[in-house]
Amino acid sequence: MPTIVSATDVVGVLTFILVLLHCVAGVLCLAYVLYFHYKVGKQQQVALRVFDSPWVVRIVLVGFAVLWSLGELLRLPLLRRKGWFLHRLDFAWHANLCRFHVVSSVGLLEPGFFLTALFLVHGSLHNGPNFPRSLHCRILSLVLVSCLPLFTLQLILAVISSSFQFHRAYDERKEGYGGTLPSYYTRYFEEEVDESNARLALCTYPLFSVLLLGLFALTFVVFFSYLGLKTLHLVINRKMRNRMCVLVVLMIVLLPLHALFLGLSVRLKAGRIAHENLTFIGFLTVLLSITVGEAILVVLPIADALAVRCVIENNRWLSLSTSPMETFGRSLSGFVSDDELSLVERQSLLGRSMSSAGTDAESSRKEPSLTFDTMLKDITFGPGNRVAEIIGSMSSPGSSSLPGMPLISVSDSCNV
């Protein structure tokens, strides 16, 4: 039976629980993306396809996040203790798992998630009525190509460099290329003997790897800040602006903090409470940014699109004059908030009173309409006053509806 005997084990248990919760949330996000894609395809809701366009990129984004969180389990000292499943492996396996964790997490999965988010925001500036498949391939290719230099350098440090130093057997005195540098520059693990006299390899982060991560973080902050400010300049919808502000601030603050905390931990002894606390805080910074990124870039756009599905299901049609942010299925909450629904209802009542007072025969033959002029400041998303208008089905000649009757009524709303 596994036992918890120290404060570092408590940190390990908290990390283990958070990883499991995030994996469950990630699976639910993937199911949510696939559900929306299935609903749009099966029900032939052409108007919602524009919001489902980047579904492949969303899946890749969530996939990077889930794999990163699972990789964090490989570094936990708790899972190497007696009674836990990694304890059965020998010292060489423990050491290789530490190297694999650093290369995969710091060299591929973390950069992969942040770069996917970066190019997803950059793709929102694509000016077109839909999200073409070629843009999917371009984004995924750019992510892989951008990750390749960092991944290659991490692989060289972890595999080629280590094989050169320890081609016969591991000796901690050979760390730092035979003592040329301090050992924490190249050390991926520290050796420890537990109460059963078993040799354990406790994972650490070498300073060279952390420096590469810090260089990536600074480059990412520059590009993401530029794209974030450019996107905020285009977005006029207040709720979407608030979401983008949160995303930009967290992304440009938490990733450098993550590299900073890992850098502070390199000189501390692995398995001690100070080292584990710093690595745990670094883990929390990335977990928070990943969770917020998934919510803003994946969950909320789909939820907003589903919020207006009732308009489509009531045989109304959606006329989209798309702005760049609309292409990526951004917030539609401006259409369905209670304030704006009440605004539509007030305009409808005004239209009724005007139609009842009008006696002109020529005006009675006009098509029913609804003016959205007073709503432009709330539903305009991009430059050039491009707006998304929800237009209802017109009344038939035999209908008793008068000119000015509401095209979208509160009573017609349906549950999503």
Side-chain angles (χ1 to χ4, degrees), residues 199-220:
R199 297 174 65 202
L200 305 178
L202 303 183
C203 295
T204 62
Y205 289 92
L207 184 58
F208 277 145
S209 296
V210 176
L211 291 176
L212 291 175
L213 177 63
L215 181 61
F216 166 79
L218 293 178
T219 307
F220 173 82

Side-chain angles (χ1 to χ4, degrees), residues 127-167:
N127 191 8
N130 207 341
F131 188 71
R133 292 183 179 180
S134 60
L135 197 55
H136 284 289
C137 299
R138 182 192 297 181
I139 289 178
L140 298 181
S141 300
L142 286 174
V143 170
L144 294 178
V145 170
S146 301
C147 286
L148 187 60
L150 182 60
F151 176 75
T152 303
L153 291 175
Q154 297 285 4
L155 190 64
I156 291 174
L157 291 175
V159 177
I160 300 177
S161 178
S162 298
S163 299
F164 174 75
Q165 292 185 81
F166 314 115
H167 60 281

Side-chain angles (χ1 to χ4, degrees), residues 297-311:
L297 296 175
V298 177
V299 177
L300 292 179
I302 296 177
D304 291 338
L306 289 175
V308 296
R309 191 185 65 184
C310 59
V311 180

Side-chain angles (χ1 to χ4, degrees), residues 5 9 89 111 186 282:
V5 296
D9 292 342
L89 303 178
T186 60

Side-chain angles (χ1 to χ4, degrees), residues 202-384:
L202 303 183
C203 295
T204 62
Y205 289 92
L207 184 58
F208 277 145
S209 296
V210 176
L211 291 176
L212 291 175
L213 177 63
L215 181 61
F216 166 79
L218 293 178
T219 307
F220 173 82
V221 165
V222 172
F223 282 97
F224 199 83
S225 300
Y226 169 75
L227 289 177
L229 293 176
K230 189 174 181 180
T231 304
L232 288 173
H233 177 71
L234 296 176
V235 176
I236 301 177
N237 179 271
R238 184 178 66 256
K239 292 183 179 180
M240 186 61 194
R241 178 183 291 272
N242 293 337
R243 292 179 188 177
M244 284 302 302
C245 286
V246 172
L247 180 65
V248 171
V249 171
L250 289 182
M251 289 290 186
I252 66 177
V253 170
L254 293 181
L255 183 58
L257 281 179
H258 173 61
L260 176 62
F261 285 120
L262 294 187
L264 294 176
S265 69
V266 297
R267 299 190 64 176
L268 301 176
K269 187 172 180 58
R272 300 297 183 264
I273 186 63
H275 179 274
E276 296 306 314
N277 283 342
L278 286 174
T279 54
F280 179 70
I281 295 174
F283 162 78
L284 288 180
T285 57
V286 178
L287 182 66
L288 178 59
S289 59
I290 282 179
T291 304
V292 173
E294 289 175 315
I296 294 178
L297 296 175
V298 177
V299 177
L300 292 179
I302 296 177
D304 291 338
L306 289 175
V308 296
R309 191 185 65 184
C310 59
V311 180
I312 311 300
E313 291 179 347
N314 286 339
N315 295 324
R316 294 179 175 93
W317 55 280
L318 187 64
S319 176
L320 291 175
S321 181
T322 57
S323 69
M325 287 307 300
E326 285 173 322
T327 306
F328 268 75
R330 73 270 165 242
S331 174
L332 293 178
S333 56
F335 291 134
V336 294
S337 64
D338 295 337
D339 295 338
E340 288 170 353
L341 282 176
S342 62
L343 177 60
V344 173
E345 188 177 21
R346 288 196 301 269
Q347 290 180 335
S348 302
L349 293 175
L350 179 62
R352 295 182 194 181
S353 62
M354 293 177 62
S355 63
S356 61
T359 57
D360 193 346
E362 181 178 355
S363 62
S364 65
R365 292 193 297 269
K366 292 182 179 180
E367 297 285 349
S369 61
L370 179 62
T371 302
F372 283 86
D373 293 341
T374 59
M375 299 175 63
L376 287 179
K377 65 178 182 179
D378 292 327
I379 65 173
T380 302
F381 286 94

Side-chain angles (χ1 to χ4, degrees), residues 99-152:
R99 294 191 181 102
F100 175 78
H101 162 69
V102 173
V103 173
S104 62
S105 179
V106 178
L108 180 62
L109 299 178
E110 276 185 43
F113 175 86
F114 287 104
L115 288 172
T116 304
L118 174 70
F119 290 119
L120 192 59
V121 174
H122 180 266
S124 66
L125 303 177
H126 166 72
N127 191 8
N130 207 341
F131 188 71
R133 292 183 179 180
S134 60
L135 197 55
H136 284 289
C137 299
R138 182 192 297 181
I139 289 178
L140 298 181
S141 300
L142 286 174
V143 170
L144 294 178
V145 170
S146 301
C147 286
L148 187 60
L150 182 60
F151 176 75
T152 303

